[in-house]
Amino acid sequence: MADYSNIPKDQRKLKSSLNEELPKTSECDIVENLIIGQSGGPSAVINASLAGVILELRERKFAGKVLGMQGGIEQYLAGQPPLDLSQYNDEQLHRLAHTAAAALGSCRVRLVEKDYDRLFSLFEQHQIRYFIYIGGNGSMNTSLRLEQEAKKRGYNLKCIGIPKTIDNDLYGTDHAPGFPSAARWLVIHTIDSGLDLLSMRGFDHVKIIEVMGRHAGWLAAATLLARSEISDPPHIVLVPELPFDEKVFLQKVAEVYEQVGCVLVVASEGLRNKEGKFLAELQAGIAIGRDVNGQALLSIGEGVSGYLTNLVIKELGLKARYDKPGTLQRSAACRSSIDLEEALSLGRASAKYLLEGMSGVMPALKRISNDPYKYAIEPISLSEITGRERVITSEFFKNQELDEAKIKEYLAPLIVPKPEIPFRFH
């Protein structure tokens, strides 16, 4: 056994559970354990869903162990022993729920055929009969494939996926946990950047803010909540759902600059031109790599913000600069209270579903009303989710632009507390 003599006593139990294999039991002493993992990009509230699962199972007197994959399925397959989550008390779980990013560690991996033998061997060794994965589109697909593989093998395994993605592109749910908090952070950042730019009119001309969103522009659209008046920043919001038109963009920049004296642009990283090419890939001398799913890594180099900044400087002769918040927008502890509540509730619902015998589903948010904001949680089949993305639909556009009123109606109830409207002299 490893020597933990130099580790403080209150930390030894955790260290031990991280590095020791779970005891094996005989066939006549089989128990039903649950394993849970986190996958994909972290968020401000993904740990709330994790805490919700543990709390619900505890209250329902779940007889088995609740085990956590450290580093997701990738590290579990690599031999990393799972962490016993049953050992933590309610005060610790409260702190977990209010901690940003993925406490168990995350991964991005696509399972291949050779992984299944190893994975189900580990499930058998650790007596896993329940599987929960918290994540986005890829994670829901993984949960579905595991359920299908278990049925094919005749292995008793129930699988649930819990939604999480800041891009808000997960199909089947009104919105995804993590998105409202990331959106709130971006609204505040846009207000601050807008005030800074307005202060420097005459010296700074154009600012580009690049936000996440490969195919869905929800995060960029959310920055419209920073506007209290028509002339307020952001002056231009660009989303992937509308092909980028260079001529129209430059004309808008010139018009706003003439009227306001400065221009704040918010652009999704996944902007494409009319030919379907990512703007981020059009930078000379930049070779963009690919992730495990074969998708272009749009954050490499200057990205879309660099492309737009250079375009403004070259074609309009204006001073321009850009901000790339990058991963800051993902796990910033500037969370929405609604987001935290919903993430915790979805975790509880998933545990409830499993104990009621459900499998192959995801707990989804259904909006009941906006004012006051009310929601319900309902199960949706994972087979209905995979292979689909929730992009901004036509109802949120008007005259080939985002419909600000519709966007605000949808998003405002989710971003709580509402960022303060700044004071301005008129």
Side-chain angles (χ1 to χ4, degrees):
M1 182 180 294
D3 179 13
Y4 302 124
S5 58
N6 293 323
I7 299 175
K9 289 183 179 180
D10 62 344
Q11 297 180 26
R12 290 181 193 176
K13 187 174 183 181
L14 172 60
K15 292 294 181 180
S16 177
S17 64
L18 289 174
N19 294 285
E20 293 174 14
E21 289 285 352
L22 294 171
K24 297 180 180 179
T25 57
S26 64
E27 289 295 324
C28 63
D29 191 29
I30 291 294
V31 294
E32 295 187 337
N33 294 328
L34 177 146
I35 196 163
I36 185 169
Q38 297 172 314
S39 181
S43 79
V45 298
I46 187 173
N47 292 325
S49 291
L50 174 61
V53 171
I54 303 168
L55 288 167
E56 186 70 19
L57 290 173
R58 180 171 296 172
E59 291 175 12
R60 289 174 176 265
K61 310 298 183 185
F62 179 64
K65 285 183 178 294
V66 182
L67 307 176
M69 290 179 174
Q70 299 179 84
I73 281 185
E74 184 175 28
Q75 292 305 310
Y76 185 59
L77 282 168
Q80 178 76 317
L83 177 63
D84 184 358
L85 302 178
S86 309
Q87 64 181 300
Y88 299 102
N89 61 38
D90 287 355
E91 187 275 332
Q92 290 171 314
L93 294 178
H94 175 81
R95 286 167 50 206
L96 171 65
H98 288 79
T99 298
L104 284 174
S106 188
C107 70
R108 293 188 189 274
V109 64
R110 180 183 287 272
L111 294 178
V112 295
E113 284 302 316
K114 66 178 183 179
D115 293 327
Y116 290 111
D117 285 342
R118 166 70 173 160
L119 192 54
F120 279 89
S121 175
L122 287 168
F123 284 169
E124 189 67 52
Q125 177 186 341
H126 297 138
Q127 302 177 77
I128 304 301
R129 295 294 180 266
Y130 303 96
F131 174 87
I132 294 179
Y133 220 28
I134 313 174
N137 291 295
S139 304
M140 298 306 103
N141 183 53
T142 295
S143 300
L144 176 62
R145 291 176 66 189
L146 276 180
E147 196 218 17
Q148 294 171 339
E149 186 68 21
K151 287 180 178 178
K152 187 167 66 175
R153 292 169 179 257
Y155 185 92
N156 180 21
L157 182 71
K158 292 181 173 60
C159 300
I160 297 283
I162 299 179
K164 176 279 320 172
T165 174
I166 69 161
D167 290 341
N168 201 34
D169 60 353
L170 194 57
Y171 187 82
T173 184
D174 180 79
H175 56 279
F179 166 69
S181 293
R184 184 172 186 271
W185 187 90
L186 281 169
V187 171
I188 293 172
H189 177 80
T190 302
I191 291 173
D192 293 343
S193 291
L195 291 173
D196 180 272
L197 185 62
L198 289 167
S199 300
M200 297 299 288
R201 272 181 293 196
F203 181 78
D204 284 345
H205 301 157
V206 180
K207 165 78 74 69
I208 314 287
I209 301 177
E210 177 181 328
V211 306
M212 290 181 172
R214 177 181 298 274
H215 298 133
W218 294 110
L219 281 173
T223 63
L224 289 172
L225 290 170
R227 287 184 187 169
S228 57
E229 299 179 13
I230 191 66
S231 61
D232 285 348
H235 304 107
I236 301 172
V237 178
L238 305 172
V239 295
E241 288 84 352
L242 295 175
F244 177 75
D245 187 310
E246 181 178 306
K247 182 178 179 180
V248 171
F249 169 70
L250 291 172
Q251 183 178 342
K252 286 183 180 178
V253 171
E255 288 175 354
V256 174
Y257 180 71
E258 180 69 24
Q259 295 168 5
V260 183
C262 61
V263 189
L264 183 66
V265 180
V266 175
S268 297
E269 64 182 358
L271 283 187
R272 298 173 186 253
N273 60 20
K274 293 179 179 179
E275 290 71 44
K277 189 78 171 178
F278 285 117
L279 300 190
E281 294 183 290
L282 299 180
Q283 303 171 84
I286 297 294
I288 292 183
R290 303 278 163 175
D291 63 15
V292 295
N293 296 311
Q295 299 188 111
L297 296 172
L298 302 179
S299 59
I300 299 298
E302 293 181 330
V304 69
S305 52
Y307 177 87
L308 295 175
T309 299
N310 292 331
L311 183 64
V312 168
I313 294 171
K314 179 182 176 182
E315 299 297 329
L316 298 179
L318 297 174
K319 294 178 183 177
R321 64 174 69 193
Y322 64 83
D323 283 343
K324 286 186 66 170
T327 58
L328 289 175
Q329 62 202 279
R330 246 181 4 199
S331 298
C334 180
R335 62 181 61 84
S336 162
S337 58
I338 289 293
D339 199 17
L340 183 67
E341 174 193 322
E342 291 178 335
L344 186 72
S345 297
L346 287 164
R348 284 184 172 274
S350 68
K352 176 176 174 285
Y353 291 166
L354 282 177
L355 296 185
E356 290 177 351
M358 291 191 196
S359 184
V361 300
M362 178 190 83
L365 294 166
K366 179 181 179 181
R367 188 178 305 214
I368 298 174
S369 65
N370 276 339
D371 188 17
Y373 174 68
K374 293 182 180 180
Y375 67 94
I377 296 176
E378 298 178 350
I380 181 172
S381 172
L382 290 172
S383 61
E384 294 183 41
I385 299 168
T386 56
R388 308 174 76 173
E389 284 186 304
R390 187 180 190 278
V391 298
I392 303 178
T393 51
S394 58
E395 65 184 291
F396 292 101
F397 291 102
K398 183 170 64 176
N399 300 324
Q400 287 298 296
E401 290 188 349
L402 288 167
D403 187 329
E404 183 173 341
K406 288 287 183 65
I407 291 291
K408 287 183 174 181
E409 181 183 18
Y410 168 70
L411 292 176
L414 309 180
I415 300 177
V416 180
K418 179 181 178 182
E420 291 186 14
I421 297 175
F423 174 83
R424 286 174 57 189
F425 289 109
H426 294 284

